[in-house]
Amino acid sequence: MQPQSGDNGPTDIDLIMMQRAIDLARRAAVSGEVPIAAVIYDGEHCLAEGWNLRETNHDASAHAEIVAIRNAGQQLGEWRLNGLSMAVTLEPCPMCAGALVNARLKRLVYGADDPKAGACRTLYEIPTDERLNHRLDVIGGVLADDCVSLLRDFFAARRS
């Protein structure tokens, strides 16, 4: 799958951060969580990260993106994440896409499209909706094959 974006493709730093997210997603899978992870970064500096903790925390809102946003806010002492980028292994759902807009992130780089809940390109386009007060640059399909394989292998193992 080829990356898709408005103007620019992923940078070398985006690829490094996506690989970090993939590594974190593997860690989530080992702990029994669906292998989705997110990294928030500013240039080459990784500010915060998170992976799914829904099962661990018994919390429906503990998606990787929300966990990473919370961690970034704690690091900065600020809820506004102006100028920062996020790399996440799966296209964010409506809840997470809304949180990205509300947190004022500058860019979203994601791996696999989500045909069931994708809210950035597949079913909805929340981060780029001009009716909202903030918009993000979105680059999808980055290292998508690796991200899809991780999810496919996780669910195949669960079924067997």
Side-chain angles (χ1 to χ4, degrees), residues 24 27-28 33-34 36-40 47-75 81 86-88 93 95-97 99-100 103 105:
L24 292 169
R27 184 185 305 176
E33 296 283 354
V34 174
I36 302 168
V39 176
I40 296 177
L47 177 69
E49 53 195 30
W51 51 88
N52 271 7
L53 291 172
R54 293 189 311 167
E55 302 299 329
T56 302
N57 292 354
H58 312 291
D59 179 356
S61 70
H63 290 201
E65 300 94 328
I66 302 296
V67 173
I69 288 169
R70 288 177 180 155
N71 290 339
Q74 291 297 311
Q75 287 291 321
L81 304 182
M86 175 185 281
V88 62
C93 70
M95 174 184 71
C96 293
L100 297 173
L105 281 159

Side-chain angles (χ1 to χ4, degrees), residues 101 124-135:
V101 170
Y124 307 101
E125 296 180 359
I126 292 171
T128 57
D129 190 322
E130 293 185 5
R131 296 170 293 178
L132 299 176
N133 66 327
H134 178 77
R135 284 166 291 290

